[in-house]
Amino acid sequence: MTTAFGEIDPNFLAAILYRPEDHVDALLADFAQDLAHQGARVGGIVQRYVENAKGTTIMLAVDIATGREISICQSLGTGATSCKLDTSGLAEAASVVSRAINENADLIVINKFSSQEALGQGLRAEFSDAIVHGLPLLTAVPAKCLADWRAFTGDAFTTLACERQCMARWWNRVDKHLAAIRVHNSSHSHLGTIIPDRLITVPTRSTTADPRRSGRFTRHLRKQP
């Protein structure tokens, strides 16, 4: 465990820099699922958007370890086309991340550091806990919040393009370091990770560089509105 942000290993803290048109939620969900299938202990949350019968877009946080969906917004009523954050839902999402941290997951995924976190709200405390514990952390940061993210981390992080290959290369480096640690410490508890297939919907060809999977199709969540 680190004792201060000044001790952050920038190789363990990665931020996917994305634009509004990028499918960052789907990218994170797909990547976390694949790592889990390969045996990595991944914990935390990814985000999903759904549209209800009234045409309102609702945000859901998905527990990576169990696939449980948590509503993190409340409808503003008839005629509304957006929603406001649900504090009880955010508290549930925060507890999911805290559990993964307490179980020393190989990788913590928190869907994004955005406007709420920049203001000191949202899951900012959970970001801090993961970093202080010295656990590998992967998140996404919108370009508009990059300055706030830099200030929060002291600029001690790795920037990733919103591409599968970049994420895979980063994780390979981190995983090699973790493997070296495991040689001296076999006390990790198991944290199973399954993201249900129903959460992954739009077929697109995987960009993975692994030749054994060159014909595999991954399926993405709907694009973030």
Side-chain angles (χ1 to χ4, degrees):
M1 178 184 295
T2 62
T3 58
F5 271 28
E7 300 176 18
I8 295 173
D9 182 345
N11 296 308
F12 268 30
L13 180 56
I16 303 166
L17 189 61
Y18 72 95
R19 301 159 300 177
E21 63 268 27
D22 290 325
H23 295 262
V24 68
D25 294 314
L27 190 68
L28 272 173
D30 185 55
F31 187 65
Q33 182 186 48
D34 283 353
L35 289 186
H37 288 166
Q38 294 166 21
R41 299 175 307 112
V42 187
I45 60 169
V46 291
Q47 192 164 281
R48 182 190 181 208
Y49 289 84
V50 297
E51 189 173 289
N52 62 20
K54 298 179 181 179
T56 300
T57 299
I58 298 175
M59 291 184 293
L60 299 174
V62 182
D63 181 343
I64 294 174
T66 66
R68 181 168 64 97
E69 298 176 351
I70 304 166
S71 175
I72 56 175
C73 73
Q74 299 174 351
S75 174
L76 295 178
T78 304
T81 58
S82 61
C83 64
K84 65 178 181 179
L85 290 175
D86 183 338
T87 54
S88 63
L90 282 174
E92 283 189 63
S95 69
V96 168
V97 177
S98 295
R99 185 194 70 220
I101 293 170
N102 292 333
E103 294 182 354
N104 291 312
D106 293 334
L107 174 63
I108 304 295
V109 175
I110 303 179
N111 59 297
K112 63 190 63 172
F113 182 99
S114 194
S115 301
Q116 290 296 310
E117 287 73 26
L119 293 172
Q121 302 169 19
L123 297 179
R124 188 182 178 107
E126 286 64 42
F127 274 102
S128 297
D129 287 347
I131 292 170
V132 169
H133 276 75
L135 297 172
L137 172 63
L138 177 63
T139 190
V141 177
K144 66 180 181 180
C145 294
L146 181 59
D148 295 298
W149 172 252
R150 288 187 184 279
F152 174 65
T153 62
D155 213 19
F157 67 97
T158 298
T159 303
L160 302 178
C162 194
E163 299 174 359
R164 175 60 180 257
Q165 299 98 319
C166 293
M167 297 164 65
R169 285 195 295 267
W170 170 78
W171 174 249
N172 286 339
R173 292 193 300 270
V174 172
D175 192 39
K176 287 179 182 178
H177 185 70
L178 291 175
I181 293 175
R182 293 189 195 103
V183 171
H184 304 286
N185 181 6
S186 59
S187 63
H188 290 285
S189 61
H190 179 71
L191 177 62
T193 306
I194 300 174
I195 299 178
D197 285 344
R198 70 178 184 278
L199 302 184
I200 305 173
T201 57
V202 182
T204 58
R205 186 172 295 277
S206 171
T207 56
T208 178
D210 188 341
R212 294 171 300 176
R213 303 173 61 199
S214 59
R216 179 182 179 276
F217 281 80
T218 55
R219 290 168 292 170
H220 283 179
L221 303 177
R222 61 180 299 154
K223 181 178 178 180
Q224 176 180 339

